[in-house]
Amino acid sequence: VAVGVLIAPDGRFLLTSRPAGKVYAGYWEFPGGKVEAGESIEEALRRELIEEIGITIAGAHPWRTQVVDYPHALVRLHFCKVYDWRGELHMHEGQAHAWERLPVQVRPVLPGTVPVLAWFAQEQGFEGPTHADGG
């Protein structure tokens, strides 16, 4: 799975809620989606962000990879930082979005998102819980 960690110039990052009808509906995560056969991580991320939130990224900066064992699937998440994009956010799947800082205020946070918040905390020297659920 290609995951976009969109970071605004003021340091806030974008989280979106999972749409109704999907596993973990209502949970908050970084946007992205499945890598199709023959796609690179950046190609998949570019396609998914156009489809999901209506923006076109200028580039993706590979950051970290995390394997998460969800009850429904074992997922390899490829997190990429994105600093430059064009277009206005438009939630094509009816999801909500929020620009957040640590500690994030939206809840619940998808389990695969929790490590990313910890990585942000390490980079920023942030001490304390990284999200409202106390993690």
Side-chain angles (χ1 to χ4, degrees):
V1 174
V3 183
V5 181
L6 278 69
I7 303 172
D10 67 2
R12 294 179 302 152
F13 48 87
L14 181 71
L15 291 176
T16 59
S17 63
R18 293 194 46 86
K22 288 197 174 182
V23 175
Y24 286 100
Y27 278 71
W28 290 82
E29 65 180 351
F30 292 94
K34 293 179 185 167
V35 178
E36 302 293 342
E39 279 184 320
S40 69
I41 299 301
E42 184 169 343
E43 289 167 339
L45 185 58
R46 186 175 313 280
R47 177 185 49 75
E48 285 285 346
L49 293 181
I50 290 169
E51 290 174 5
E52 282 186 21
I53 63 174
I55 62 162
T56 302
I57 62 173
H61 305 274
W63 185 29
R64 305 233 184 158
T65 301
Q66 176 85 14
V67 175
V68 179
D69 192 2
Y70 287 109
H72 67 285
L74 183 65
V75 182
R76 181 178 308 277
L77 302 169
H78 298 270
F79 293 97
C80 300
K81 288 185 177 180
V82 177
Y83 299 98
D84 190 20
W85 59 89
R86 39 179 221 276
E88 295 296 318
L89 290 176
H90 184 272
M91 303 294 118
H92 292 288
E93 297 179 340
Q95 69 274 47
H97 73 280
W99 287 100
E100 292 282 332
R101 297 182 190 281
L102 295 176
V104 298
Q105 298 304 304
V106 295
R107 66 178 78 155
V109 175
L110 193 68
T113 298
V114 172
V116 184
L117 302 177
W119 301 335
F120 269 133
Q122 289 172 349
E123 287 184 358
Q124 298 172 4
F126 181 85
E127 295 182 20
T130 57
H131 58 285
D133 293 337

PDB file of all heavy atoms in Angstrom, residues 85-116:
ATOM      1  N   TRP A  85       1.972  19.792  -3.847  1.00  0.00           N
ATOM      2  CA  TRP A  85       0.855  19.257  -4.616  1.00  0.00           C
ATOM      3  C   TRP A  85       0.067  20.426  -5.173  1.00  0.00           C
ATOM      4  O   TRP A  85       0.234  21.559  -4.766  1.00  0.00           O
ATOM      5  CB  TRP A  85      -0.036  18.363  -3.756  1.00  0.00           C
ATOM      6  CG  TRP A  85      -0.621  19.047  -2.554  1.00  0.00           C
ATOM      7  CD1 TRP A  85      -1.802  19.742  -2.490  1.00  0.00           C
ATOM      8  CD2 TRP A  85      -0.050  19.122  -1.245  1.00  0.00           C
ATOM      9  NE1 TRP A  85      -1.998  20.226  -1.226  1.00  0.00           N
ATOM     10  CE2 TRP A  85      -0.933  19.867  -0.444  1.00  0.00           C
ATOM     11  CE3 TRP A  85       1.120  18.630  -0.669  1.00  0.00           C
ATOM     12  CZ2 TRP A  85      -0.696  20.131   0.908  1.00  0.00           C
ATOM     13  CZ3 TRP A  85       1.366  18.899   0.660  1.00  0.00           C
ATOM     14  CH2 TRP A  85       0.475  19.641   1.435  1.00  0.00           C
ATOM     15  N   ARG A  86      -0.803  20.106  -6.129  1.00  0.00           N
ATOM     16  CA  ARG A  86      -1.688  21.132  -6.659  1.00  0.00           C
ATOM     17  C   ARG A  86      -3.109  20.601  -6.686  1.00  0.00           C
ATOM     18  O   ARG A  86      -3.334  19.388  -6.697  1.00  0.00           O
ATOM     19  CB  ARG A  86      -1.262  21.633  -8.026  1.00  0.00           C
ATOM     20  CG  ARG A  86      -0.735  20.691  -8.992  1.00  0.00           C
ATOM     21  CD  ARG A  86      -0.368  21.337 -10.321  1.00  0.00           C
ATOM     22  NE  ARG A  86      -0.782  20.445 -11.377  1.00  0.00           N
ATOM     23  CZ  ARG A  86      -0.069  19.424 -11.807  1.00  0.00           C
ATOM     24  NH1 ARG A  86       1.113  19.191 -11.290  1.00  0.00           N
ATOM     25  NH2 ARG A  86      -0.524  18.637 -12.732  1.00  0.00           N
ATOM     26  N   GLY A  87      -4.035  21.547  -6.701  1.00  0.00           N
ATOM     27  CA  GLY A  87      -5.443  21.202  -6.648  1.00  0.00           C
ATOM     28  C   GLY A  87      -5.994  21.449  -5.253  1.00  0.00           C
ATOM     29  O   GLY A  87      -5.245  21.581  -4.285  1.00  0.00           O
ATOM     30  N   GLU A  88      -7.304  21.525  -5.194  1.00  0.00           N
ATOM     31  CA  GLU A  88      -7.992  21.698  -3.913  1.00  0.00           C
ATOM     32  C   GLU A  88      -8.431  20.337  -3.402  1.00  0.00           C
ATOM     33  O   GLU A  88      -8.841  19.481  -4.187  1.00  0.00           O
ATOM     34  CB  GLU A  88      -9.216  22.602  -4.096  1.00  0.00           C
ATOM     35  CG  GLU A  88      -8.875  24.032  -4.490  1.00  0.00           C
ATOM     36  CD  GLU A  88      -8.101  24.761  -3.419  1.00  0.00           C
ATOM     37  OE1 GLU A  88      -8.440  24.617  -2.217  1.00  0.00           O
ATOM     38  OE2 GLU A  88      -7.135  25.474  -3.772  1.00  0.00           O
ATOM     39  N   LEU A  89      -8.374  20.153  -2.103  1.00  0.00           N
ATOM     40  CA  LEU A  89      -8.827  18.892  -1.524  1.00  0.00           C
ATOM     41  C   LEU A  89     -10.306  18.681  -1.827  1.00  0.00           C
ATOM     42  O   LEU A  89     -11.122  19.588  -1.639  1.00  0.00           O
ATOM     43  CB  LEU A  89      -8.625  18.885  -0.009  1.00  0.00           C
ATOM     44  CG  LEU A  89      -7.189  18.819   0.488  1.00  0.00           C
ATOM     45  CD1 LEU A  89      -7.176  18.912   2.013  1.00  0.00           C
ATOM     46  CD2 LEU A  89      -6.506  17.556   0.020  1.00  0.00           C
ATOM     47  N   HIS A  90     -10.631  17.508  -2.308  1.00  0.00           N
ATOM     48  CA  HIS A  90     -12.010  17.115  -2.545  1.00  0.00           C
ATOM     49  C   HIS A  90     -12.122  15.647  -2.167  1.00  0.00           C
ATOM     50  O   HIS A  90     -11.486  14.791  -2.788  1.00  0.00           O
ATOM     51  CB  HIS A  90     -12.400  17.324  -4.017  1.00  0.00           C
ATOM     52  CG  HIS A  90     -13.832  17.023  -4.267  1.00  0.00           C
ATOM     53  ND1 HIS A  90     -14.290  15.759  -4.585  1.00  0.00           N
ATOM     54  CD2 HIS A  90     -14.927  17.817  -4.213  1.00  0.00           C
ATOM     55  CE1 HIS A  90     -15.601  15.788  -4.723  1.00  0.00           C
ATOM     56  NE2 HIS A  90     -16.016  17.017  -4.508  1.00  0.00           N
ATOM     57  N   MET A  91     -12.891  15.372  -1.150  1.00  0.00           N
ATOM     58  CA  MET A  91     -13.000  14.013  -0.634  1.00  0.00           C
ATOM     59  C   MET A  91     -13.973  13.214  -1.502  1.00  0.00           C
ATOM     60  O   MET A  91     -15.183  13.241  -1.299  1.00  0.00           O
ATOM     61  CB  MET A  91     -13.461  14.033   0.827  1.00  0.00           C
ATOM     62  CG  MET A  91     -12.561  14.841   1.754  1.00  0.00           C
ATOM     63  SD  MET A  91     -10.917  14.138   1.958  1.00  0.00           S
ATOM     64  CE  MET A  91      -9.915  15.461   1.286  1.00  0.00           C
ATOM     65  N   HIS A  92     -13.437  12.517  -2.502  1.00  0.00           N
ATOM     66  CA  HIS A  92     -14.249  11.802  -3.489  1.00  0.00           C
ATOM     67  C   HIS A  92     -15.001  10.600  -2.931  1.00  0.00           C
ATOM     68  O   HIS A  92     -15.933  10.107  -3.569  1.00  0.00           O
ATOM     69  CB  HIS A  92     -13.377  11.351  -4.671  1.00  0.00           C
ATOM     70  CG  HIS A  92     -12.860  12.474  -5.498  1.00  0.00           C
ATOM     71  ND1 HIS A  92     -13.653  13.222  -6.332  1.00  0.00           N
ATOM     72  CD2 HIS A  92     -11.610  13.008  -5.608  1.00  0.00           C
ATOM     73  CE1 HIS A  92     -12.925  14.151  -6.932  1.00  0.00           C
ATOM     74  NE2 HIS A  92     -11.683  14.038  -6.498  1.00  0.00           N
ATOM     75  N   GLU A  93     -14.601  10.101  -1.763  1.00  0.00           N
ATOM     76  CA  GLU A  93     -15.257   8.920  -1.195  1.00  0.00           C
ATOM     77  C   GLU A  93     -16.133   9.280   0.001  1.00  0.00           C
ATOM     78  O   GLU A  93     -16.524   8.412   0.771  1.00  0.00           O
ATOM     79  CB  GLU A  93     -14.203   7.883  -0.797  1.00  0.00           C
ATOM     80  CG  GLU A  93     -13.401   7.375  -1.998  1.00  0.00           C
ATOM     81  CD  GLU A  93     -12.342   6.355  -1.616  1.00  0.00           C
ATOM     82  OE1 GLU A  93     -11.942   6.279  -0.436  1.00  0.00           O
ATOM     83  OE2 GLU A  93     -11.912   5.620  -2.509  1.00  0.00           O
ATOM     84  N   GLY A  94     -16.410  10.577   0.175  1.00  0.00           N
ATOM     85  CA  GLY A  94     -17.266  11.003   1.277  1.00  0.00           C
ATOM     86  C   GLY A  94     -16.577  10.994   2.633  1.00  0.00           C
ATOM     87  O   GLY A  94     -17.235  11.120   3.667  1.00  0.00           O
ATOM     88  N   GLN A  95     -15.273  10.865   2.646  1.00  0.00           N
ATOM     89  CA  GLN A  95     -14.546  10.842   3.901  1.00  0.00           C
ATOM     90  C   GLN A  95     -14.350  12.269   4.434  1.00  0.00           C
ATOM     91  O   GLN A  95     -14.506  13.234   3.715  1.00  0.00           O
ATOM     92  CB  GLN A  95     -13.201  10.112   3.734  1.00  0.00           C
ATOM     93  CG  GLN A  95     -12.160  10.822   2.883  1.00  0.00           C
ATOM     94  CD  GLN A  95     -12.253  10.574   1.395  1.00  0.00           C
ATOM     95  OE1 GLN A  95     -13.324  10.641   0.813  1.00  0.00           O
ATOM     96  NE2 GLN A  95     -11.116  10.309   0.769  1.00  0.00           N
ATOM     97  N   ALA A  96     -14.018  12.365   5.700  1.00  0.00           N
ATOM     98  CA  ALA A  96     -13.685  13.648   6.318  1.00  0.00           C
ATOM     99  C   ALA A  96     -12.173  13.825   6.251  1.00  0.00           C
ATOM    100  O   ALA A  96     -11.428  12.865   6.030  1.00  0.00           O
ATOM    101  CB  ALA A  96     -14.163  13.663   7.771  1.00  0.00           C
ATOM    102  N   HIS A  97     -11.716  15.063   6.453  1.00  0.00           N
ATOM    103  CA  HIS A  97     -10.282  15.298   6.511  1.00  0.00           C
ATOM    104  C   HIS A  97      -9.971  16.319   7.597  1.00  0.00           C
ATOM    105  O   HIS A  97     -10.839  17.105   7.979  1.00  0.00           O
ATOM    106  CB  HIS A  97      -9.725  15.753   5.155  1.00  0.00           C
ATOM    107  CG  HIS A  97     -10.080  17.156   4.789  1.00  0.00           C
ATOM    108  ND1 HIS A  97     -11.301  17.502   4.267  1.00  0.00           N
ATOM    109  CD2 HIS A  97      -9.365  18.304   4.882  1.00  0.00           C
ATOM    110  CE1 HIS A  97     -11.331  18.794   4.031  1.00  0.00           C
ATOM    111  NE2 HIS A  97     -10.173  19.321   4.406  1.00  0.00           N
ATOM    112  N   ALA A  98      -8.748  16.270   8.092  1.00  0.00           N
ATOM    113  CA  ALA A  98      -8.308  17.204   9.129  1.00  0.00           C
ATOM    114  C   ALA A  98      -6.814  17.430   8.989  1.00  0.00           C
ATOM    115  O   ALA A  98      -6.055  16.484   8.751  1.00  0.00           O
ATOM    116  CB  ALA A  98      -8.614  16.631  10.515  1.00  0.00           C
ATOM    117  N   TRP A  99      -6.415  18.695   9.100  1.00  0.00           N
ATOM    118  CA  TRP A  99      -4.991  19.039   9.165  1.00  0.00           C
ATOM    119  C   TRP A  99      -4.628  19.018  10.640  1.00  0.00           C
ATOM    120  O   TRP A  99      -5.221  19.747  11.439  1.00  0.00           O
ATOM    121  CB  TRP A  99      -4.738  20.416   8.552  1.00  0.00           C
ATOM    122  CG  TRP A  99      -4.858  20.388   7.066  1.00  0.00           C
ATOM    123  CD1 TRP A  99      -5.923  20.775   6.313  1.00  0.00           C
ATOM    124  CD2 TRP A  99      -3.860  19.922   6.142  1.00  0.00           C
ATOM    125  NE1 TRP A  99      -5.658  20.579   4.977  1.00  0.00           N
ATOM    126  CE2 TRP A  99      -4.399  20.067   4.843  1.00  0.00           C
ATOM    127  CE3 TRP A  99      -2.568  19.401   6.287  1.00  0.00           C
ATOM    128  CZ2 TRP A  99      -3.686  19.709   3.696  1.00  0.00           C
ATOM    129  CZ3 TRP A  99      -1.870  19.054   5.152  1.00  0.00           C
ATOM    130  CH2 TRP A  99      -2.419  19.204   3.870  1.00  0.00           C
ATOM    131  N   GLU A 100      -3.675  18.176  11.019  1.00  0.00           N
ATOM    132  CA  GLU A 100      -3.375  17.924  12.422  1.00  0.00           C
ATOM    133  C   GLU A 100      -1.915  18.224  12.776  1.00  0.00           C
ATOM    134  O   GLU A 100      -1.050  18.303  11.910  1.00  0.00           O
ATOM    135  CB  GLU A 100      -3.654  16.449  12.753  1.00  0.00           C
ATOM    136  CG  GLU A 100      -5.114  16.076  12.703  1.00  0.00           C
ATOM    137  CD  GLU A 100      -5.882  16.522  13.925  1.00  0.00           C
ATOM    138  OE1 GLU A 100      -5.294  16.635  15.026  1.00  0.00           O
ATOM    139  OE2 GLU A 100      -7.100  16.752  13.802  1.00  0.00           O
ATOM    140  N   ARG A 101      -1.692  18.374  14.061  1.00  0.00           N
ATOM    141  CA  ARG A 101      -0.369  18.432  14.684  1.00  0.00           C
ATOM    142  C   ARG A 101      -0.390  17.417  15.834  1.00  0.00           C
ATOM    143  O   ARG A 101      -1.448  16.938  16.208  1.00  0.00           O
ATOM    144  CB  ARG A 101      -0.111  19.809  15.299  1.00  0.00           C
ATOM    145  CG  ARG A 101      -0.073  20.951  14.335  1.00  0.00           C
ATOM    146  CD  ARG A 101       0.248  22.245  15.108  1.00  0.00           C
ATOM    147  NE  ARG A 101       0.082  23.405  14.285  1.00  0.00           N
ATOM    148  CZ  ARG A 101       0.963  23.827  13.391  1.00  0.00           C
ATOM    149  NH1 ARG A 101       2.073  23.153  13.206  1.00  0.00           N
ATOM    150  NH2 ARG A 101       0.740  24.910  12.690  1.00  0.00           N
ATOM    151  N   LEU A 102       0.767  17.153  16.391  1.00  0.00           N
ATOM    152  CA  LEU A 102       0.814  16.276  17.567  1.00  0.00           C
ATOM    153  C   LEU A 102       0.436  17.073  18.805  1.00  0.00           C
ATOM    154  O   LEU A 102       0.866  18.212  18.938  1.00  0.00           O
ATOM    155  CB  LEU A 102       2.223  15.698  17.736  1.00  0.00           C
ATOM    156  CG  LEU A 102       2.690  14.768  16.622  1.00  0.00           C
ATOM    157  CD1 LEU A 102       4.129  14.349  16.882  1.00  0.00           C
ATOM    158  CD2 LEU A 102       1.791  13.551  16.490  1.00  0.00           C
ATOM    159  N   PRO A 103      -0.334  16.492  19.709  1.00  0.00           N
ATOM    160  CA  PRO A 103      -1.057  15.233  19.566  1.00  0.00           C
ATOM    161  C   PRO A 103      -2.292  15.436  18.687  1.00  0.00           C
ATOM    162  O   PRO A 103      -2.962  16.468  18.795  1.00  0.00           O
ATOM    163  CB  PRO A 103      -1.450  14.892  21.003  1.00  0.00           C
ATOM    164  CG  PRO A 103      -1.578  16.219  21.688  1.00  0.00           C
ATOM    165  CD  PRO A 103      -0.565  17.114  21.022  1.00  0.00           C
ATOM    166  N   VAL A 104      -2.572  14.464  17.821  1.00  0.00           N
ATOM    167  CA  VAL A 104      -3.732  14.597  16.945  1.00  0.00           C
ATOM    168  C   VAL A 104      -5.006  14.524  17.781  1.00  0.00           C
ATOM    169  O   VAL A 104      -5.059  13.840  18.802  1.00  0.00           O
ATOM    170  CB  VAL A 104      -3.748  13.543  15.808  1.00  0.00           C
ATOM    171  CG1 VAL A 104      -2.540  13.690  14.908  1.00  0.00           C
ATOM    172  CG2 VAL A 104      -3.865  12.142  16.334  1.00  0.00           C
ATOM    173  N   GLN A 105      -6.011  15.268  17.323  1.00  0.00           N
ATOM    174  CA  GLN A 105      -7.263  15.356  18.067  1.00  0.00           C
ATOM    175  C   GLN A 105      -8.353  14.436  17.525  1.00  0.00           C
ATOM    176  O   GLN A 105      -9.319  14.149  18.222  1.00  0.00           O
ATOM    177  CB  GLN A 105      -7.755  16.805  18.059  1.00  0.00           C
ATOM    178  CG  GLN A 105      -6.783  17.756  18.729  1.00  0.00           C
ATOM    179  CD  GLN A 105      -6.451  17.369  20.158  1.00  0.00           C
ATOM    180  OE1 GLN A 105      -7.340  17.226  20.991  1.00  0.00           O
ATOM    181  NE2 GLN A 105      -5.168  17.147  20.447  1.00  0.00           N
ATOM    182  N   VAL A 106      -8.214  13.988  16.266  1.00  0.00           N
ATOM    183  CA  VAL A 106      -9.237  13.114  15.699  1.00  0.00           C
ATOM    184  C   VAL A 106      -9.114  11.714  16.287  1.00  0.00           C
ATOM    185  O   VAL A 106      -8.038  11.296  16.704  1.00  0.00           O
ATOM    186  CB  VAL A 106      -9.139  13.066  14.155  1.00  0.00           C
ATOM    187  CG1 VAL A 106      -9.456  14.428  13.557  1.00  0.00           C
ATOM    188  CG2 VAL A 106      -7.774  12.573  13.696  1.00  0.00           C
ATOM    189  N   ARG A 107     -10.235  11.022  16.315  1.00  0.00           N
ATOM    190  CA  ARG A 107     -10.229   9.647  16.804  1.00  0.00           C
ATOM    191  C   ARG A 107     -11.390   8.880  16.253  1.00  0.00           C
ATOM    192  O   ARG A 107     -12.370   9.508  15.874  1.00  0.00           O
ATOM    193  CB  ARG A 107     -10.203   9.596  18.326  1.00  0.00           C
ATOM    194  CG  ARG A 107     -11.453  10.138  18.983  1.00  0.00           C
ATOM    195  CD  ARG A 107     -11.389  10.025  20.464  1.00  0.00           C
ATOM    196  NE  ARG A 107     -10.547  11.093  20.976  1.00  0.00           N
ATOM    197  CZ  ARG A 107     -10.609  11.601  22.184  1.00  0.00           C
ATOM    198  NH1 ARG A 107     -11.467  11.136  23.044  1.00  0.00           N
ATOM    199  NH2 ARG A 107      -9.837  12.558  22.584  1.00  0.00           N
ATOM    200  N   PRO A 108     -11.308   7.567  16.192  1.00  0.00           N
ATOM    201  CA  PRO A 108     -10.138   6.732  16.508  1.00  0.00           C
ATOM    202  C   PRO A 108      -9.116   6.762  15.366  1.00  0.00           C
ATOM    203  O   PRO A 108      -9.453   7.030  14.217  1.00  0.00           O
ATOM    204  CB  PRO A 108     -10.739   5.335  16.656  1.00  0.00           C
ATOM    205  CG  PRO A 108     -11.932   5.347  15.737  1.00  0.00           C
ATOM    206  CD  PRO A 108     -12.473   6.762  15.775  1.00  0.00           C
ATOM    207  N   VAL A 109      -7.875   6.480  15.724  1.00  0.00           N
ATOM    208  CA  VAL A 109      -6.782   6.447  14.755  1.00  0.00           C
ATOM    209  C   VAL A 109      -6.552   4.994  14.339  1.00  0.00           C
ATOM    210  O   VAL A 109      -6.495   4.098  15.192  1.00  0.00           O
ATOM    211  CB  VAL A 109      -5.508   7.052  15.378  1.00  0.00           C
ATOM    212  CG1 VAL A 109      -4.330   6.922  14.445  1.00  0.00           C
ATOM    213  CG2 VAL A 109      -5.739   8.512  15.739  1.00  0.00           C
ATOM    214  N   LEU A 110      -6.434   4.776  13.026  1.00  0.00           N
ATOM    215  CA  LEU A 110      -6.183   3.438  12.505  1.00  0.00           C
ATOM    216  C   LEU A 110      -4.874   2.886  13.080  1.00  0.00           C
ATOM    217  O   LEU A 110      -3.884   3.617  13.158  1.00  0.00           O
ATOM    218  CB  LEU A 110      -6.106   3.505  10.971  1.00  0.00           C
ATOM    219  CG  LEU A 110      -6.146   2.194  10.219  1.00  0.00           C
ATOM    220  CD1 LEU A 110      -7.511   1.537  10.351  1.00  0.00           C
ATOM    221  CD2 LEU A 110      -5.825   2.434   8.756  1.00  0.00           C
ATOM    222  N   PRO A 111      -4.830   1.606  13.476  1.00  0.00           N
ATOM    223  CA  PRO A 111      -3.601   1.060  14.052  1.00  0.00           C
ATOM    224  C   PRO A 111      -2.357   1.286  13.188  1.00  0.00           C
ATOM    225  O   PRO A 111      -1.276   1.551  13.721  1.00  0.00           O
ATOM    226  CB  PRO A 111      -3.917  -0.432  14.210  1.00  0.00           C
ATOM    227  CG  PRO A 111      -5.403  -0.466  14.414  1.00  0.00           C
ATOM    228  CD  PRO A 111      -5.933   0.632  13.529  1.00  0.00           C
ATOM    229  N   GLY A 112      -2.475   1.213  11.871  1.00  0.00           N
ATOM    230  CA  GLY A 112      -1.322   1.426  10.996  1.00  0.00           C
ATOM    231  C   GLY A 112      -0.827   2.860  10.982  1.00  0.00           C
ATOM    232  O   GLY A 112       0.277   3.139  10.509  1.00  0.00           O
ATOM    233  N   THR A 113      -1.625   3.782  11.500  1.00  0.00           N
ATOM    234  CA  THR A 113      -1.250   5.199  11.557  1.00  0.00           C
ATOM    235  C   THR A 113      -0.460   5.515  12.824  1.00  0.00           C
ATOM    236  O   THR A 113       0.361   6.422  12.838  1.00  0.00           O
ATOM    237  CB  THR A 113      -2.531   6.066  11.482  1.00  0.00           C
ATOM    238  OG1 THR A 113      -3.165   5.804  10.226  1.00  0.00           O
ATOM    239  CG2 THR A 113      -2.240   7.539  11.603  1.00  0.00           C
ATOM    240  N   VAL A 114      -0.698   4.767  13.876  1.00  0.00           N
ATOM    241  CA  VAL A 114      -0.074   5.041  15.170  1.00  0.00           C
ATOM    242  C   VAL A 114       1.460   5.097  15.084  1.00  0.00           C
ATOM    243  O   VAL A 114       2.070   6.034  15.611  1.00  0.00           O
ATOM    244  CB  VAL A 114      -0.562   4.033  16.238  1.00  0.00           C
ATOM    245  CG1 VAL A 114       0.209   4.180  17.533  1.00  0.00           C
ATOM    246  CG2 VAL A 114      -2.063   4.212  16.465  1.00  0.00           C
ATOM    247  N   PRO A 115       2.134   4.137  14.402  1.00  0.00           N
ATOM    248  CA  PRO A 115       3.598   4.238  14.327  1.00  0.00           C
ATOM    249  C   PRO A 115       4.075   5.524  13.653  1.00  0.00           C
ATOM    250  O   PRO A 115       5.098   6.081  14.032  1.00  0.00           O
ATOM    251  CB  PRO A 115       4.014   3.020  13.508  1.00  0.00           C
ATOM    252  CG  PRO A 115       2.874   2.074  13.585  1.00  0.00           C
ATOM    253  CD  PRO A 115       1.644   2.915  13.769  1.00  0.00           C
ATOM    254  N   VAL A 116       3.323   6.012  12.664  1.00  0.00           N
ATOM    255  CA  VAL A 116       3.723   7.226  11.955  1.00  0.00           C
ATOM    256  C   VAL A 116       3.718   8.406  12.909  1.00  0.00           C
ATOM    257  O   VAL A 116       4.619   9.254  12.877  1.00  0.00           O
ATOM    258  CB  VAL A 116       2.790   7.515  10.756  1.00  0.00           C
ATOM    259  CG1 VAL A 116       3.271   8.718   9.978  1.00  0.00           C
ATOM    260  CG2 VAL A 116       2.708   6.299   9.857  1.00  0.00           C
TER     261      VAL A 116
END
